[in-house]
Amino acid sequence: MSDPYQNSYHHGDADGYGSYGEGGQDGYSYQTDYPPQEEDAASDVTEGHDEDDQMYEGEYQGIPHPDEVKAARRAARSRARGPTAADAVSEQQELAEQYEDILEDCGHGRFQWSLFVVLGLALMADSVECFVVALALPSAEKDMCLSNAEKGMLGLIVFLGMMFGAFIWGGMADKVGRRKCLIIALAINCVAGFLSSFAQAYGFFIFFRLISGIGIGGSVPIVYSYFSEFLRADKRGEHLSWLCMFWMMGGIYASFTAWGIIPRYGWGFSMGTEFQFHSWRVFVLVCALPAIAALIGLTFMPESPRFLLEHAKHDEAWMILKQVHDTNWRAKGEPERVFTVSQIKTPKTQEDEFFEIQSSTGTAFQRWAVRTVTLVKLILKNVVSLLTRELRMATLLMAVIWFTMAFSYYGLAVWFPDMIKHLQEEEYKSKLKVFHREKVEFFHFNFSLENQIHKEGEYINDKFVNIELKSVKFEDSLFEDCYFEDIKSTNTFFENCTIRSTIFYNTDLYKEKFIDCKLENSSFYHTKKGCHLNTESENDVLVYLVSFLGSLAVLPGNIISALFMDKIGRVKMIGGSMLLSAGCTFFLFMSFSQAAIIVWQCLFCGVSVAAWNGIEVITVEIYPASKRATAFGLLNAVCKLAAILGSYIFALFVGVTKVVPILLSCAALLCGGLLALKLPETREKALL
């Protein structure tokens, strides 16, 4: 059977420092940090001692020797693998152990923290994308005259775009490169988000939000795959969990900017009557800033060396690992430390590896078409490989866990604010005033009417000038010789009314608001078309407060999961968090006021975030490097599909019953939490 690995790659020449052996079991060799001394130059301190008896200088302080630390970590990883014979360890595992040892030599420091900030901004952009439509919708629906169906579609279109984006960019990242795909995805998100803020028509706006979602959909699968390949095993769980803090920061950023910008209507501008740029559009524009910042930062970051090694790009991988090593040790005050890796065992290029077509082959379009078809085939083949015998059970378990977690989380994330809004509407309706058979003649209405129903009234020679009609309904009433001027209306209708010899001047009472009415000798002049924002009451601060508190509530859960992820393990973290989250949903039966819903939402978000962190960490650790981003993208697409279904199903029961949403979320979390306990523990394992 042929060796699936190429000859070990050597970097450097024979004139360099001497080496300890020929690569050894780890598959790469070390060069000494210092040139050999002359025999007579030995210090008098060592006189009387054999070379093998020289003492490590930190031994008196009880500091373990670095080689002992590395040996302990290798032993821990060996125990995590389980009892296997030496010849049963796969070449893939040998490569993973070799790469893990290289990362240990590189250390953890300035380079990882710089990459942490850049990729955190990309993750923050993903979070902002989930919040932007929900926070802008109360103003956007009035500005663009959206129906309930259009509002629902706008809320779901972002998740639909993110679902396709996760699958596409995740698959491409394993074949084209993590950094390159993330840059392209963020660039698409920035451009589409910018254009959506200027789109006046609903069709264009929803199209650009779809494209924006497709772009940002690649953020989560690539960010975790990319960052994990720069982290050694003992740091991976903790720092991937810290990375999740940026998702929380994205929610806080979106809430604060919405509260600070949307109510400031003076920040907008207009160009005639056809182009209106209100403050909510400024908010949409500002929400692109995290993606722009991440895009700029990525230009200074290198490609993942693990990806390069998988694609036989040895020189580039070696140079990047050396850059990581030198950056970290210079920051720690040890610039003299030498990158000792001179030999790296790499996998042999597979037959179906993506290939370059020479410039002389066919036309430019033909070369592009062949490259595209080849890339699509490779991606689909990689997706199918996730269901092979070795990965089938893990993939199915992870898919169910991702689905159940997302179904409950996003379903309740929509249901909580919708229920608060429903309770507000119920309270508002309880204050409804009803007037029967009132007769008003020669009266000047110079005050606004709100939350009223007028039945069988008669209005003769009355004037309605410069007032607002909000949630007002006239039924079976008579208007004769009346005059309406400068009227702004919200949710106002005339039903089965008779209107005679009445003038409507500069109002937004267009004919669609007159239901089954008789209009006799009445005239409409300078009618305001479309919908109009109410600059005083359209933006309830509670909308921003609920979003802010829900985002801030995950802080304790993030801290706990980061500190204990590597101590108690991923499986217990996921299972325990999901089961506790299922228990939290039952608190909703205890109290059902606006304040209680906000408290239970914060509790649920704070507990469930630990499960999210564990799911994301274990996803990158289960799959090998050649399939890591593809698997993460596929599972994240399943997550977004569950988010769409959960949001739609839970919204159906708003104002109907609270029992079904609570039982659905509880059942899903219990199912996912119990299945999570069957996952293999990946703590202290080297990344395959």
Side-chain angles (χ1 to χ4, degrees):
M1 182 176 178
S2 61
D3 185 4
Y5 287 81
Q6 292 179 328
N7 293 332
S8 298
Y9 169 69
H10 297 263
H11 200 282
D13 51 44
D15 294 330
Y17 298 114
S19 62
Y20 294 121
E22 294 297 323
Q25 184 179 0
D26 297 327
Y28 63 98
S29 57
Y30 294 89
Q31 296 173 338
T32 58
D33 292 349
Y34 307 100
Q37 293 181 328
E38 295 292 338
E39 186 174 333
D40 296 337
S43 172
D44 293 338
V45 177
T46 62
E47 188 174 353
H49 296 276
D50 295 333
E51 291 183 5
D52 293 338
D53 293 335
Q54 292 182 9
M55 185 170 293
Y56 167 55
E57 62 181 359
E59 185 172 337
Y60 287 120
Q61 290 81 20
I63 302 173
H65 194 281
D67 291 339
E68 296 177 2
V69 175
K70 291 179 183 178
R73 288 172 180 164
R74 292 191 187 102
R77 294 198 297 270
S78 179
R79 289 193 301 270
R81 277 202 312 271
T84 56
D87 56 353
V89 178
S90 67
E91 288 83 357
Q92 186 183 57
Q93 185 65 43
E94 289 182 10
L95 176 61
E97 294 288 348
Q98 168 193 244
Y99 189 77
E100 188 68 34
D101 289 337
I102 296 175
L103 288 180
E104 289 182 2
D105 288 339
C106 291
H108 186 93
R110 175 177 292 177
F111 180 88
Q112 280 85 357
W113 286 112
S114 300
L115 186 63
F116 173 82
V117 173
V118 172
L119 296 182
L121 288 170
L123 195 61
M124 185 176 171
D126 178 87
S127 174
V128 170
E129 187 73 18
C130 294
F131 284 93
V132 60
V133 170
L135 293 173
L137 193 57
S139 295
E141 66 173 307
K142 296 294 184 292
D143 194 17
M144 294 192 293
C145 299
L146 302 183
S147 64
N148 289 332
E150 289 173 331
K151 287 189 294 182
M153 179 57 68
L154 187 57
L156 296 178
I157 199 68
V158 174
F159 287 109
L160 186 64
M162 295 172 79
M163 180 180 72
F164 286 111
F167 180 80
I168 294 169
W169 297 114
M172 289 183 63
D174 278 333
K175 296 301 177 183
V176 179
R178 280 82 159 108
R179 174 180 175 271
K180 184 176 181 179
C181 285
L182 187 56
I183 287 176
I184 297 173
L186 289 175
I188 292 174
N189 173 253
C190 292
V191 173
F194 175 82
L195 293 175
S196 71
S197 67
F198 289 92
Q200 299 294 301
Y202 170 76
F204 282 109
F205 183 78
I206 197 172
F207 171 76
F208 287 127
R209 294 318 304 180
L210 173 65
I211 301 301
S212 177
I214 291 175
I216 202 61
S219 175
V220 171
I222 298 177
V223 161
Y224 284 98
S225 301
Y226 189 10
F227 192 47
S228 67
E229 291 169 352
F230 284 96
L231 298 172
R232 65 186 193 226
D234 63 319
K235 297 285 186 180
R236 196 165 51 240
E238 177 186 352
H239 287 270
L240 287 176
S241 298
W242 287 126
L243 189 66
C244 297
M245 295 280 284
F246 281 91
W247 213 92
M248 175 198 74
M249 293 169 61
I252 294 174
Y253 171 83
S255 304
F256 264 112
T257 52
W259 175 79
I261 294 175
I262 294 179
R264 274 63 175 176
Y265 291 93
W267 290 15
F269 64 91
S270 61
M271 298 173 62
T273 59
E274 297 298 326
F275 186 87
Q276 303 287 331
F277 197 86
H278 293 296
S279 57
W280 70 268
R281 297 181 181 275
V282 179
F283 164 69
V284 173
L285 201 60
V286 170
C287 283
L289 292 181
I292 294 173
L295 197 58
I296 295 172
L298 279 171
T299 60
F300 300 97
M301 294 292 117
E303 180 57 85
S304 164
R306 185 61 187 270
F307 167 81
L308 295 173
L309 289 174
E310 288 291 328
H311 291 261
K313 297 181 180 180
H314 319 94
D315 288 340
E316 295 177 48
W318 189 90
M319 291 299 295
I320 292 170
L321 289 169
K322 184 178 185 301
Q323 175 190 349
V324 175
H325 175 278
D326 294 347
T327 300
N328 288 339
W329 289 112
R330 276 199 304 268
K332 294 177 181 179
E334 300 183 44
E336 71 279 358
R337 291 284 291 261
V338 178
F339 185 53
T340 56
V341 177
S342 63
Q343 176 179 323
I344 305 177
K345 178 181 284 189
T346 56
K348 183 173 63 177
T349 304
Q350 301 298 316
E351 294 180 0
D352 62 350
E353 190 57 61
F354 184 67
F355 57 89
E356 288 293 331
I357 302 175
Q358 300 298 324
S359 58
S360 59
T361 306
T363 64
F365 176 78
Q366 289 174 332
R367 294 194 299 272
W368 174 84
V370 172
R371 288 192 184 101
T372 303
V373 172
T374 304
L375 180 60
V376 170
K377 289 181 179 179
L378 292 177
I379 292 173
L380 294 178
K381 185 176 181 180
N382 221 19
V383 172
V384 173
S385 69
L386 299 176
L387 296 176
T388 56
R389 183 175 57 85
E390 296 82 4
L391 297 174
R392 184 186 303 121
M393 184 55 65
T395 300
L396 293 177
L397 282 175
M398 290 303 302
V400 174
I401 293 168
W402 274 92
F403 185 92
T404 53
M405 187 67 203
F407 180 82
S408 301
Y409 182 86
Y410 287 104
L412 290 176
V414 170
W415 189 70
F416 282 133
D418 281 358
M419 281 306 304
I420 292 175
K421 186 177 180 181
H422 172 72
L423 293 177
Q424 289 177 328
E425 291 175 351
E426 289 295 314
E427 183 180 0
Y428 187 76
K429 290 179 181 178
S430 67
K431 300 177 182 178
L432 178 67
K433 297 178 181 179
V434 181
F435 299 88
H436 287 277
R437 297 183 178 180
E438 60 179 352
K439 186 173 183 180
V440 182
E441 296 181 294
F442 299 97
F443 187 78
H444 185 183
F445 287 87
N446 57 2
F447 50 88
S448 296
L449 306 179
E450 181 178 358
N451 199 20
Q452 300 177 2
I453 295 179
H454 298 262
K455 297 183 177 181
E456 301 179 3
E458 294 184 9
Y459 304 91
I460 312 297
N461 286 302
D462 294 327
K463 290 185 178 181
F464 300 80
V465 179
N466 195 25
I467 64 173
E468 180 182 357
L469 304 177
K470 184 176 182 181
S471 299
V472 178
K473 188 176 183 181
F474 295 94
E475 296 181 357
D476 303 311
S477 299
L478 170 67
F479 292 85
E480 188 170 352
D481 295 320
C482 292
Y483 181 77
F484 291 79
E485 181 179 357
D486 294 329
I487 304 297
K488 291 182 179 179
S489 66
T490 304
N491 195 29
T492 296
F493 299 95
F494 297 78
E495 185 175 343
N496 200 27
C497 295
T498 301
I499 303 174
R500 297 190 189 126
S501 304
T502 297
I503 296 176
F504 296 87
Y505 181 84
N506 195 33
T507 72
D508 60 2
L509 299 174
Y510 42 87
K511 294 186 178 180
E512 286 76 6
K513 292 193 174 185
F514 297 89
I515 304 171
D516 297 327
C517 293
K518 296 179 181 179
L519 298 174
E520 301 175 359
N521 198 26
S522 297
S523 304
F524 293 83
Y525 300 100
H526 301 287
T527 303
K528 300 174 185 177
K529 297 296 183 181
C531 301
H532 308 281
L533 288 172
N534 184 332
T535 59
E536 296 179 357
S537 59
E538 285 300 333
N539 291 280
D540 191 346
V541 177
L542 188 62
V543 175
Y544 313 128
L545 179 62
V546 170
S547 176
F548 167 74
L549 292 177
S551 300
L552 188 62
V554 306
L555 179 60
N558 264 323
I559 294 175
I560 292 172
S561 63
L563 295 178
F564 292 95
M565 186 69 72
D566 288 320
K567 292 181 174 62
I568 68 174
R570 289 75 162 120
V571 172
K572 293 180 181 177
M573 182 70 71
I574 299 170
S577 176
M578 292 186 74
L579 294 177
L580 287 175
S581 299
C584 289
T585 59
F586 274 97
F587 284 113
L588 291 169
F589 285 115
M590 298 173 59
S591 178
F592 211 67
S593 62
Q594 293 184 41
I597 290 178
I598 294 175
V599 171
W600 304 141
Q601 178 188 11
C602 292
L603 180 63
F604 176 79
C605 292
V607 173
S608 62
V609 69
W612 278 120
N613 293 356
I615 289 171
E616 286 153 350
V617 171
I618 202 171
T619 300
V620 300
E621 294 177 333
I622 283 181
Y623 296 95
S626 60
K627 300 174 177 61
R628 182 169 296 122
T630 300
F632 208 125
L634 176 64
L635 294 172
N636 200 247
V638 171
C639 167
K640 296 304 185 290
L641 175 62
I644 293 173
L645 294 176
S647 301
Y648 175 76
I649 293 173
F650 279 52
L652 295 177
F653 296 98
V654 173
V656 178
T657 178
K658 63 180 181 180
V659 175
V660 175
I662 293 174
L663 292 180
L664 280 176
S665 60
C666 182
L669 289 168
L670 284 174
C671 176
L674 293 175
L675 287 177
L677 299 177
K678 295 184 175 295
L679 288 171
E681 181 56 68
T682 57
R683 180 179 46 167
E684 296 181 343
K685 283 189 177 181
L687 280 181
L688 295 177

